[in-house]
Amino acid sequence: MPPLLKSCSGSLRCKRMLPPLRYAPVSTPIGWVHVAYRAKAVCCVALGSDGRGFERVCERVVGVRPIRDPRLPGDMAKQVLDHLTGRRRFSGRIDLSRLTPFQQRVLRKIRTIPTGEVRSYQWVAKEIGAERAARAVGTALAKNPVPLLIPCHRVVRSDGRLGEYS
């Protein structure tokens, strides 16, 4: 599985060094999906919003408004499309640098849940070595900037019912 990007220090100098955040729409069988990326890493994904709405979502999630491109670079669009049609798991880079180390561990773990299977919040907490943090796992899932690529919908309550997934 490709590495997730580590956090930058967050300093102004660091922010100036980053390439611009860009985005493009991709037509998929489930509708238009907007994908924001920076330096070949996906930063934010949303289904069914228009360009302006997605820009606002990105600004809230990533901290900067993206610049629209006519299409995604290289094979990023193919990887997203292959993932959303079930052909293969998304293998590109995902930037989770705005999340805490705990939230990054949660999202890395749920990326390993096989298609068609679910796990509980408690299972995820135990797997990442924080067995008393099931509620914090739920909070981390709510911060997922790429819910179509990192399957937070595969995490359910211990009794098998849906949690408060949005």
Side-chain angles (χ1 to χ4, degrees), residues 13-14 35 43 83 102 108 149 155:
R13 182 176 155 261
C14 176
V35 180
C43 301
H83 177 79
F102 175 84
R108 275 197 295 284
L149 302 180
V155 181

Side-chain angles (χ1 to χ4, degrees), residues 88-107:
R88 67 181 59 93
R89 192 177 290 220
F90 183 76
S91 61
R93 292 174 58 192
I94 297 175
D95 182 355
L96 299 176
S97 63
R98 291 189 54 88
L99 302 178
T100 68
F102 175 84
Q103 292 166 341
Q104 291 178 29
R105 284 195 332 262
V106 167
L107 295 181

Side-chain angles (χ1 to χ4, degrees), residues 58-125:
C58 259
E59 188 168 30
R60 183 177 39 83
V61 171
V62 182
V64 64
R65 226 172 237 257
I67 301 164
R68 187 178 177 122
D69 278 344
R71 63 188 156 281
L72 291 176
D75 68 346
M76 189 180 289
K78 180 178 177 357
Q79 288 181 23
V80 168
L81 193 56
D82 284 350
H83 177 79
L84 295 177
T85 57
R87 287 190 198 111
R88 67 181 59 93
R89 192 177 290 220
F90 183 76
S91 61
R93 292 174 58 192
I94 297 175
D95 182 355
L96 299 176
S97 63
R98 291 189 54 88
L99 302 178
T100 68
F102 175 84
Q103 292 166 341
Q104 291 178 29
R105 284 195 332 262
V106 167
L107 295 181
R108 275 197 295 284
K109 179 46 74 178
I110 66 165
R111 256 185 120 180
T112 68
I113 300 171
T115 302
E117 295 184 23
V118 296
R119 300 289 186 272
S120 70
Y121 296 101
Q122 186 64 49
W123 178 88
V124 175

Side-chain angles (χ1 to χ4, degrees), residues 132-153:
R132 299 176 72 127
R135 286 181 184 252
V137 166
T139 300
L141 296 179
K143 303 260 186 196
N144 183 357
V146 291
L148 297 172
L149 302 180
I150 297 181
C152 48
H153 60 277

Side-chain angles (χ1 to χ4, degrees), residues 22-82:
R22 308 187 80 75
Y23 81 98
V26 178
S27 179
T28 75
I30 61 172
W32 284 97
V33 172
H34 287 83
V35 180
Y37 61 94
R38 176 185 281 143
K40 298 184 182 179
V42 175
C43 301
C44 186
V45 176
L47 172 68
S49 62
D50 64 10
R52 296 277 186 231
F54 180 69
E55 289 173 13
R56 287 189 298 275
V57 167
C58 259
E59 188 168 30
R60 183 177 39 83
V61 171
V62 182
V64 64
R65 226 172 237 257
I67 301 164
R68 187 178 177 122
D69 278 344
R71 63 188 156 281
L72 291 176
D75 68 346
M76 189 180 289
K78 180 178 177 357
Q79 288 181 23
V80 168
L81 193 56
D82 284 350

